[in-house]
Amino acid sequence: MDALIDLQDEFWKAAGETLYMVSITLLIGGAAGLLMGLVLYATRAGSLLPNKAIFVVLNVVINFFRPIPFIIFIAAVQPLSRMIIGTGIGINAVIFALSLAASFAIARIVEQNLVTVSPGVIEAARSMGAGPYRILRTIVIPEALGPLILGYTFIFVAIVDMSAVAGLIGGGGLGYFAQLYGYRQFEPVVTWAAVLLIVVFVQIAQFVGNRLARVALRR
Amino acid sequence: MSLVSLRNVTKTYPSPDKGGERIVAIDDVSLDIEAGDVYGIIGYSGAGKSTLVRLINALEPVSDGSVIIDGEEISGRPERELRSVRLGIGMIFQQFNLFNAKNVWNNVAYPLRVAGWPKERIAARVDELLDFVGLREKARSYPDQLSGGQKQRVGVARALATEPRILLADEATSALDPETTQEVLALLKRVNTEFGVTIVVITHEMDVIQSIATKVAVMDGGRVIEKGDVFDVFSNPQNASSRRFVSTVIKGIPSPAELAVLQERHIGRIVTISFRDGNADQAAVFLEIVNAGVAFELVYGGINDIQGRAFGHLTLALRGDDTAIDAAIVRIGQSTHVTEVR
């Protein structure tokens, strides 16, 4: 307990780092994933803009990256990170790796939720003379909004999980804090304090996600 | 010139380049739909009706043949041009296909936004349409808060928003109960008479054709097997397969199974007499039988009314002297159609 009191400053700093990493990742990875998910949905056979080449390539790319465990992924993309954002270590490099990994997972979740939109509703919009881009923007996304919000909530929790290995490349955060000051110093109270705060974050995120989804579904 | 004209239209699945079993959904269909018609297309499910209606607004491209809307050939035109064609053709659906994430008002406004109407005109038009279908007070409701009949009325308002000249109704009442069906059919009739909108009605229900259609085409196996004036087609079908179809939707003609039961249950000779638009006086027919000294029993039958003209079939069991019965059948046969079924 004393150890935790001594580490108060580090604890709150780590909490801030986790929130920062996760929220920026959700923003960047969320946008990139939404785009990829839309492309997957729209280019599949019989959809709004069928294009076998784009669909197959994107599908393979996503299937290639998605199963890589994040602890390996974060190290593997270091060269790419140096190329694009100029550094392979630190919190921004973590955000880069997290966003990339999250975007592939989000692409799948977006695609899965969009295919549940009734083909009849899309046909109705087509019968009114609406074009494919307009249908994606004004029909497909709004019709799938409730499940999409729940999908993003699910991904938020997964990003919190992935962010725990940020310490590997000097990213900080609650996961790193728990390992460094809890696990390695034999201070279970410190470990559990970090765990509890992560649980609180997840609970709040799930509560907000459920609320927003309910508003979108009007239930 | 017809408003909608299909010339030797064929639709096959899948397109030949994709391989697989070739299915002919529409087989060499030619149809002419005149402005102001309520044109019914009836047939068993799987007959190709829904595919046919989707060729008219080019939701599906034809494999062969041509579709001419208001004098303009639309088959083979690029998708972008077809969008403006579709603005002039409204469509309603069996499952309504309302946008669940939008309220009633925004559902009706959607096609107007697609068409690029200015805001003030959209507002005025949506209110006008909701008044027409009697749902002004539901403007802020969402589709899942409406009954089936209300949903279809929203569908009708939405389909009419851009003032199309043609309305396609794809099994528009098949998901509704009989009372609501009548309510929606009455609305469609008003759309036809008040706005002069030409309506193409796809259905498997005779009642729908009987209440609103002026012309009808009977489809079977992707082909139009008979077409023309509703009364003519249903009272006097010309070929064997349309006769078979008509007998399943028209009251009064016993099916083979029913006939077997009748034959077992009744003694004597069984004949079916057809009446059509007053071609024979029923009273005179019955008098003929009585005068011949033949006893009769009415065992099956029905009289149909299509736009104020009646036709029907009565099946009688005749008992008495065979030569007397023969003579009676010959005499009745002079004024109307008689078939002996035993």
Side-chain angles (χ1 to χ4, degrees):
Chain A
M1 200 68 214
D2 292 345
L4 186 60
I5 290 162
D6 290 343
L7 289 166
Q8 257 190 73
D9 289 351
E10 281 81 356
F11 182 72
W12 294 118
K13 183 167 168 277
E17 284 163 352
T18 290
L19 282 183
Y20 177 71
M21 284 189 288
V22 170
S23 48
I24 302 291
T25 298
L26 198 62
L27 225 61
I28 299 172
L34 180 65
L35 194 68
M36 281 195 282
L38 279 169
V39 172
L40 272 181
Y41 168 80
T43 57
R44 71 164 50 216
S47 187
L48 289 161
L49 296 158
N51 185 320
K52 202 166 184 181
I54 295 179
F55 178 81
V56 168
V57 169
L58 192 58
N59 201 35
V60 167
V61 167
I62 291 171
N63 284 345
F64 180 84
F65 285 107
R66 228 161 60 86
I68 303 175
F70 189 64
I71 196 163
I72 299 165
F73 186 88
I74 199 170
V77 296
Q78 256 185 327
L80 190 66
S81 173
R82 280 194 206 98
M83 243 165 61
I84 293 176
I85 64 164
T87 176
I89 55 164
I91 196 163
N92 288 330
V94 175
I95 290 173
F96 177 81
L98 271 176
S99 299
L100 202 58
S103 66
F104 295 124
I106 291 170
R108 277 282 175 244
I109 286 180
V110 168
E111 182 203 17
Q112 278 164 15
N113 286 317
L114 297 187
V115 293
T116 63
V117 174
S118 142
V121 166
I122 292 164
E123 185 178 50
R126 284 186 66 212
S127 79
M128 293 165 201
Y133 297 103
R134 180 193 284 269
I135 293 175
L136 279 178
R137 200 179 69 243
T138 59
I139 303 296
V140 175
I141 295 178
E143 291 288 313
L145 195 60
L148 275 178
I149 291 171
L150 292 176
Y152 272 87
T153 308
F154 175 83
I155 275 296
F156 177 90
V157 178
I159 296 170
V160 171
D161 175 10
M162 290 193 291
S163 76
V165 299
L168 198 71
I169 58 167
L174 282 171
Y176 180 60
F177 176 87
Q179 281 169 47
L180 188 64
Y181 300 109
Y183 179 67
R184 292 190 198 157
Q185 307 286 327
F186 302 101
E187 294 281 5
V189 175
V190 173
T191 307
W192 275 101
V195 168
L196 276 177
L197 191 57
I198 288 174
V199 169
V200 169
F201 285 166
V202 167
Q203 291 292 345
I204 292 172
Q206 193 65 53
F207 177 78
V208 172
N210 287 349
R211 267 298 166 89
L212 288 175
R214 198 178 301 175
V215 171
L217 292 167
R218 291 170 296 94
R219 285 196 189 113
Chain B
M1 188 186 57
S2 310
L3 183 56
V4 177
S5 189
L6 307 180
R7 286 278 157 272
N8 309 103
V9 163
T10 297
K11 175 74 183 174
T12 52
Y13 292 104
S15 50
D17 53 306
K18 287 195 180 134
E21 187 82 16
R22 205 174 84 114
I23 298 161
V24 181
I26 301 292
D27 190 3
D28 192 27
V29 166
S30 296
L31 271 188
D32 285 294
I33 300 171
E34 308 297 330
D37 276 353
V38 177
Y39 204 109
I41 297 175
I42 190 167
Y44 301 116
S45 48
K49 311 178 300 280
S50 285
T51 307
L52 187 72
V53 80
R54 279 160 178 75
L55 300 175
I56 296 174
N57 61 354
L59 282 177
E60 299 269 5
V62 295
S63 305
D64 198 17
S66 60
V67 179
I68 299 152
I69 307 289
D70 206 7
E72 267 190 89
E73 167 80 52
I74 64 157
S75 30
R77 301 244 304 256
E79 178 72 16
R80 186 171 290 276
E81 283 175 39
L82 292 176
R83 282 182 222 151
S84 60
V85 173
R86 291 191 195 121
L87 282 174
I89 306 176
M91 188 166 183
I92 56 175
F93 305 84
Q94 178 170 9
Q95 295 305 329
F96 322 121
N97 293 347
L98 299 184
F99 307 131
N100 295 309
K102 301 183 191 334
N103 64 24
V104 166
W105 203 94
N106 282 315
N107 262 277
V108 179
Y110 188 82
L112 297 168
R113 296 200 177 107
V114 172
W117 284 35
K119 259 204 176 98
E120 324 76 67
R121 277 189 67 206
I122 291 179
R125 179 68 180 150
V126 174
D127 290 342
E128 182 189 353
L129 285 158
L130 290 180
D131 278 339
F132 176 72
V133 299
L135 287 174
R136 186 78 176 260
E137 76 284 2
K138 295 281 182 189
R140 302 289 154 209
S141 302
Y142 282 83
D144 59 8
Q145 298 165 318
L146 303 179
S147 69
Q150 289 171 332
K151 283 181 191 168
Q152 198 56 292
R153 276 146 69 192
V154 175
V156 170
R158 188 177 68 168
L160 294 178
T162 54
E163 299 172 335
R165 294 184 61 194
I166 305 165
L167 177 66
L168 309 176
D170 181 15
E171 296 278 7
T173 58
S174 302
L176 303 173
D177 61 59
E179 199 176 321
T180 318
T181 294
Q182 288 310 318
E183 178 191 307
V184 170
L185 290 178
L187 179 64
L188 291 179
K189 199 157 200 161
R190 276 175 63 210
V191 169
N192 178 250
T193 52
E194 287 178 33
F195 301 139
V197 174
T198 305
I199 305 181
V200 182
V201 185
I202 302 292
T203 187
H204 66 277
E205 296 169 318
M206 184 55 203
D207 286 352
V208 173
I209 301 289
Q210 218 165 326
S211 1
I212 62 167
T214 51
K215 302 269 182 57
V216 69
V218 182
M219 281 192 82
D220 189 26
R223 292 175 156 272
V224 169
I225 54 175
E226 186 143 350
K227 62 189 173 188
D229 184 78
V230 176
F231 184 81
D232 292 337
V233 169
F234 284 98
S235 63
N236 192 17
Q238 294 303 307
N239 75 55
S241 47
S242 51
R243 241 193 317 272
R244 189 167 51 87
F245 177 77
V246 164
S247 68
T248 62
V249 291
I250 284 288
K251 306 175 277 198
I253 304 171
S255 69
E258 287 167 327
L259 202 56
V261 173
L262 292 178
Q263 283 164 344
E264 197 178 307
R265 201 183 293 157
H266 300 280
I267 52 167
R269 290 163 65 180
I270 296 178
V271 294
T272 295
I273 305 171
S274 304
F275 298 91
R276 184 169 179 263
D277 207 13
N279 63 347
D281 183 358
Q282 272 188 47
V285 167
F286 292 133
L287 197 60
E288 207 70 73
I289 299 171
V290 173
N291 286 347
V294 174
F296 73 89
E297 195 181 350
L298 178 55
V299 295
Y300 201 91
I303 302 294
N304 303 272
D305 185 303
I306 293 177
Q307 282 132 27
R309 297 167 73 189
F311 72 95
H313 309 272
L314 299 176
T315 298
L316 310 179
L318 304 177
R319 287 197 302 267
D321 179 46
D322 262 344
T323 47
I325 292 174
D326 285 337
I329 289 175
V330 168
R331 268 199 301 279
I332 297 163
Q334 285 160 355
S335 59
T336 187
H337 192 71
V338 188
T339 20
E340 178 153 4
V341 289
R342 180 177 66 187

